[in-house]
Amino acid sequence: MRAVVLKGFGGLEMLEERDLPVPEPGPGEVLVRNLAVAVNPVDAKIRAAGRWAGVEPPFVLGYDAAGVVAKVGPGVKDLKEGDEVYYTPEIFGNPHGTYAEYTPVPAGIVAKKPKNLSFAEAAAIPLAGGTAWEAVVRRLAVRPGETVLVMGGAGGVGSFAVQFAKAAGAYVIATASAENLPVLKELGADLALDYRGPWPEEVLKATEGQGVD
């Protein structure tokens, strides 16, 4: 298979296209044929100096993808060959990223791709969307009537967080640069604030001095 391998930590010159053997899915894993892959800031951070992620070159970067299940490992019940899926693989200690034609992934972190999304659209969701979901839905358990402040609401994680908090019934305040304030409103923010301005005072004013939940 074709893959982009990180041959050493450093600049872009450390990325090299190579032919690698197609991995075999282990117990509880599926092998995904990647049809679309997204790039995230963490990719660049690991490329530059990624020993903190528990990996040593050479290995394959990439943590967002959508594709088709090519092979199912032992013990997998909920997915089958041909299923259209999207996923973000483990980052820490994982040499099998998504900059490759095929990636072995634990089946438990693979989801079936919504039919109304293209592969490219689906590949842009898992890492940022999953991070926002973990924060807003699972950990904070945002409820109707609560007030949520999203810093950097026009960014990857922030743009999902604004939408999830709004869908949960919260009053959503979000910050961004002035040019991205219309984006915040499109995403559903009730109050969009320029992060370069006196946003703390604006938040206190909007919440009658109470601050946010």
Side-chain angles (χ1 to χ4, degrees):
M1 69 172 183
R2 289 182 305 156
V4 176
V5 174
L6 185 71
K7 59 184 180 180
F9 295 119
L12 293 175
E13 71 279 0
M14 291 292 105
L15 295 171
E16 180 177 272
E17 185 175 346
R18 296 183 185 177
D19 287 322
L20 299 179
V22 176
E24 284 290 325
E29 292 184 337
V30 294
L31 182 69
V32 179
R33 179 166 65 91
N34 298 318
L35 298 179
V37 173
V39 177
N40 292 276
V42 71
D43 300 25
K45 293 174 182 177
I46 293 177
R47 186 207 73 222
R51 285 190 174 86
W52 55 267
V55 285
E56 285 290 338
F59 64 92
V60 178
L61 276 171
Y63 308 101
D64 256 339
V68 176
V69 175
K71 196 170 184 178
V72 176
V76 175
K77 304 295 184 185
D78 297 331
L79 295 168
K80 65 183 186 302
E81 290 183 20
D83 281 347
E84 297 182 349
V85 296
Y86 65 150
Y87 66 97
T88 179
E90 298 285 352
I91 292 178
F92 294 96
N94 177 27
H96 298 291
T98 58
Y99 292 6
E101 289 186 275
Y102 293 90
T103 304
V105 198
I109 56 175
V110 174
K112 292 184 178 179
K113 180 182 74 66
K115 295 185 181 299
N116 65 323
L117 295 180
S118 69
F119 284 102
E121 290 169 333
I125 293 174
L127 184 55
T131 301
W133 183 270
E134 177 72 17
V136 175
V137 178
R138 293 187 62 185
R139 298 199 183 196
L140 297 179
V142 172
R143 295 290 182 262
E146 292 186 322
T147 303
V148 175
L149 171 63
V150 180
M151 303 296 295
V157 175
S159 61
F160 283 103
V162 168
Q163 295 175 82
F164 293 155
K166 187 64 180 177
Y171 179 83
V172 180
I173 304 171
T175 69
S177 59
E179 57 269 25
N180 280 327
L181 295 183
V183 174
L184 297 181
K185 300 300 289 187
E186 290 174 13
L187 292 172
D190 297 287
L191 179 60
L193 300 174
D194 185 347
Y195 78 89
R196 298 186 185 93
W199 62 266
E201 290 85 350
E202 293 294 330
V203 169
L204 288 173
K205 180 180 177 181
T207 59
E208 297 181 343
Q210 296 301 305
V212 300
D213 295 302

